[in-house]
Amino acid sequence: MIQTSSVTRRHGSFVAVDNVTASIGPGVTAIIGPNGAGKSTLLSAIGRLMSPDEGTITIDGRDVATTKSREIARALAILKQDNHLAIRLSVQDLVAYGRYPHGGSGRADEDRSHVERAIDLLDLGAVRTRYLDELSGGQRQRAFVAMAIAQDTSHLLLDEPLNNLDPRHGVGLMKLVRQLADERGMTVVIVMHDINVAAAYADQIVAMRDGRVVEHGPVDDVITQECLEDLYDTPATVATVADRRIVLWT
């Protein structure tokens, strides 16, 4: 369970996240909203990539500001929107970095098992020995997702993970996220711009605008014409196709 209480984050005089209080439990939660809404900033604060100026964040009751880094890393993995490395790594070496929080425990066989599973789940077997700078953007993105999966946490934060992915691998990733939530009871939080993908795979939607949460609830309660038009200042039509909400921007 992720709990944020009165979380505020400023960049100078600009308030990026404004007094956000929310509870996010097991399942898939998508954070949506226009550019500059504070989605990625909130996700980074939850993942302890930046500290809030005000408020508290807890993961299963542990305050992320005071809990030891390795303990947090065993409970929560995060994939940033932009991932850059100063060293040259192969895909296999990168994915193995996901096991770092579990290092020194004498579980080498278990570590290898998690790495192999992540490489297989993200369809990276054919490029496992290649260096990241030799891959396409989509292959690199899947390699970083595999690293997060190999970390084997109960909470997974993904910031626009569909960047650079073709439809096949994008759908495959979302099905994997759904599987992790359904079969392992994981809490998965995804920042995304594709409302139709969010509606198809998420259990809950958090809608943000101007740093604030303006709606938070089940897909059918948030993915409505009224809510989306207010959120994006753009005319929209919401239809139901194959029991899924589909949004047409008009």
Side-chain angles (χ1 to χ4, degrees), residues 70 72-78 85 89-103 107 110-112 114-115 118-119 143-153 156:
R70 179 160 287 189
I72 289 293
R74 287 174 175 169
L76 181 148
I78 181 169
L85 293 175
L89 291 176
S90 69
V91 169
Q92 182 169 299
D93 289 339
L94 175 71
V95 177
Y97 263 97
R99 301 303 301 162
Y100 175 76
H102 306 275
R107 298 186 299 170
E110 182 178 348
D111 291 340
R112 284 194 292 269
H114 283 290
V115 170
I119 287 174
F144 278 101
V145 173
M147 179 181 67
I149 297 295
Q151 200 169 326
D152 189 35
T153 60
L156 179 62

Side-chain angles (χ1 to χ4, degrees), residues 1 11 21 37 65 67 71-72 76-77 85 126 156 176 198 207:
M1 174 71 74
H11 300 306
T21 295
T67 303
E71 185 177 346
I72 289 293
L76 181 148
L85 293 175
L156 179 62
L176 172 60

Side-chain angles (χ1 to χ4, degrees), residues 56-137:
T56 59
I57 301 168
T58 61
I59 306 294
D60 288 340
R62 291 168 290 194
D63 190 327
V64 301
T66 58
T67 303
K68 292 182 179 180
S69 295
R70 179 160 287 189
E71 185 177 346
I72 289 293
R74 287 174 175 169
L76 181 148
I78 181 169
L79 176 68
K80 299 183 295 181
Q81 186 174 345
D82 298 310
N83 297 284
H84 302 286
L85 293 175
I87 57 176
R88 197 168 188 240
L89 291 176
S90 69
V91 169
Q92 182 169 299
D93 289 339
L94 175 71
V95 177
Y97 263 97
R99 301 303 301 162
Y100 175 76
H102 306 275
S105 59
R107 298 186 299 170
D109 289 342
E110 182 178 348
D111 291 340
R112 284 194 292 269
S113 175
H114 283 290
V115 170
E116 292 301 320
R117 176 175 176 271
I119 287 174
D120 181 60
L121 287 173
L122 274 300
D123 192 25
L124 292 166
V127 297
R128 63 184 302 148
T129 61
R130 291 173 59 184
Y131 289 102
L132 295 178
D133 59 6
E134 299 172 345
L135 305 181
S136 69

Side-chain angles (χ1 to χ4, degrees), residues 29-46:
T29 296
I31 304 179
I32 66 171
N35 293 335
K39 305 180 297 296
S40 294
T41 301
L42 178 61
L43 200 76
S44 293
I46 294 171

Side-chain angles (χ1 to χ4, degrees), residues 76-78 148-149 153-158 177 180 186-189:
L76 181 148
I78 181 169
I149 297 295
T153 60
S154 56
H155 298 73
L156 179 62
L157 312 181
L158 302 173
V177 164
L180 292 172
M186 289 183 67
T187 298
V188 184
V189 185

